[in-house]
Amino acid sequence: MEEFREDFKLIGLKIAYYRKMRGLTQEQLSEKLGYGNVSYIGNIEAPNVYRAFTLTTLLKIAKTLDIHPNKLLDYDKSE
């Protein structure tokens, strides 16, 4: 949904942050998630691309990165 564009952007940036903290590339994360297309993760993380994704995907990413899902949802839009 277009009204949540900024939220998806901020969540995507959080995903990129934690992925890099774990020393994973987008390709490695995609493989661990079972996604054949590395551009899927790239589009989620890209701040200039609007890519909505499901709660299931968010939970799978959090589990794969070994973090609580709220870490991906904890952001301040004013930052």
Side-chain angles (χ1 to χ4, degrees):
M1 297 175 89
E2 189 65 30
E3 71 180 290
F4 298 114
R5 175 183 287 272
E6 187 68 14
D7 297 281
F8 279 104
K9 173 185 167 183
L10 294 171
I11 293 168
L13 292 172
K14 286 278 193 161
I15 291 169
Y17 171 79
Y18 285 107
R19 175 184 57 75
K20 291 173 186 175
M21 291 273 301
R22 299 291 184 264
L24 296 172
T25 65
Q26 289 177 345
E27 182 176 12
Q28 290 168 325
L29 180 57
S30 290
E31 288 173 6
K32 287 179 176 284
L33 292 167
Y35 299 143
N37 188 349
V38 75
S39 68
Y40 184 74
I41 295 298
N43 286 337
I44 288 174
E45 292 183 0
N48 59 338
V49 175
Y50 175 62
R51 175 69 161 127
F53 50 92
T54 67
L55 179 58
T56 300
T57 297
L58 180 92
L59 295 172
K60 285 174 71 173
I61 290 170
K63 183 176 181 177
T64 301
L65 295 175
D66 195 31
I67 58 172
H68 195 278
N70 73 333
K71 289 192 179 248
L72 299 176
L73 298 171
D74 184 23
Y75 57 83
D76 182 355
K77 286 186 182 182
S78 65
E79 291 179 347

